[in-house]
Amino acid sequence: GIETAFAAGNFNVRDHGAIGDGKVLETAAIQKAVDAAAAAKGGTVFCPPACYLSGTIRLKSHVKLHLEKGATLLGSTELAHYQRLNFLALIMGNNLDEVAISGEGVIDGQGKTIADSVIGPVKPGKYPDAGEAKRPVIINFRNCRGVTVRDVTLRESACWVQLYRDCDRVTIENITVRTLAAITNDGLDIDGCSNVVIRGCDIDSEDDGICLKSSRRECSDVLIENCRVRSSCNALKFGTASFKGFRNITVRDLEIHDT
């Protein structure tokens, strides 16, 4: 099963060169730990309590990134430190099997600096140039099977917080989202995914809290339950990039406030 794969070995980012002072760029060290776990045919990459500054990390199949309580992954404020998978992202994965992010730690995109440098000036009566293609999201998974994101806190993305596109079997559980760094700060975007569970999440976002889309595939078999949402826009939204439609979506027991 999925947990068995991750239990194959533990790979501490400190053992792969991470310092954890929040100032030295740790991208290479964290990526080394991920690659070592992948080479071992699966495992858990541990970030013990400390601050880790990083650019893009590419997760691999059968690898879990685990942030222990007191651990903070800081997104770099330099655009040059990010790679693109449709969107720029801090953590990304394409065409992966069984991948996870877990733990009671924090991922802080530090997004305001990049967002302020990219977004055009807001002029009265004119919609600003949002520049979404130039702003990194925190999590971006595409074409993946078996994605789990659990217990972490996601803060201050430069763009949308997390995007799951054309994925099957996605579980997002007990996460906290706090993002008011920029316009179009969606809390959670599910685009063309199937067999999705979003449960027990607490989301406070500048833009849509939970947004379902269907750009290239139908969005189907989705359960959203027991979440708390505050949004400066829509708490729950179906409608952006809805080309392929929605089927078998269940939403229940949402607490929506100040939206």
Side-chain angles (χ1 to χ4, degrees), residues 197-236:
V197 176
I198 301 167
R199 177 186 289 134
C201 299
D202 185 336
I203 295 172
D204 185 338
S205 60
E206 188 281 335
D207 207 330
D208 302 324
I210 299 172
C211 185
L212 275 64
K213 307 179 182 185
S214 56
S215 297
R216 296 172 55 185
R217 290 188 356 182
E218 179 183 70
C219 212
S220 63
D221 300 306
V222 177
L223 171 63
I224 303 170
E225 64 179 2
N226 299 320
C227 294
R228 187 169 194 264
V229 185
R230 192 220 67 86
S231 166
S232 304
C233 201
N234 307 286
L236 175 69

Side-chain angles (χ1 to χ4, degrees), residues 3-82:
E3 292 302 328
T4 310
F6 298 141
N10 294 329
F11 300 81
N12 191 323
V13 295
R14 298 283 190 129
D15 296 336
H16 292 81
I19 295 165
D21 66 355
K23 296 171 185 172
V24 173
L25 195 67
E26 314 271 31
T27 315
I30 298 169
Q31 190 65 55
K32 274 185 194 170
V34 169
D35 294 347
K41 296 195 164 44
T44 298
V45 173
F46 273 93
C47 294
C51 277
Y52 306 92
L53 179 69
S54 184
T56 297
I57 299 160
R58 287 184 173 267
L59 280 191
K60 305 285 180 73
S61 291
H62 306 292
V63 175
K64 171 161 65 175
L65 177 64
H66 184 82
L67 295 157
E68 293 188 345
K69 191 171 185 177
T72 300
L73 181 64
L74 295 172
S76 170
T77 57
E78 300 286 333
L79 263 178
H81 295 153
Y82 291 94

Side-chain angles (χ1 to χ4, degrees), residues 112 155-157 178-183 185 204-207 230 232:
K112 191 166 181 5
R155 299 178 52 82
E156 304 305 325
S157 181
R178 295 287 181 270
T179 188
L180 297 165
I183 58 171
N185 257 180
D204 185 338
S205 60
E206 188 281 335
D207 207 330
R230 192 220 67 86
S232 304

Side-chain angles (χ1 to χ4, degrees), residues 111-125:
K112 191 166 181 5
T113 303
I114 287 178
D116 286 351
S117 70
V118 167
I119 296 169
V122 180
K123 295 174 183 171

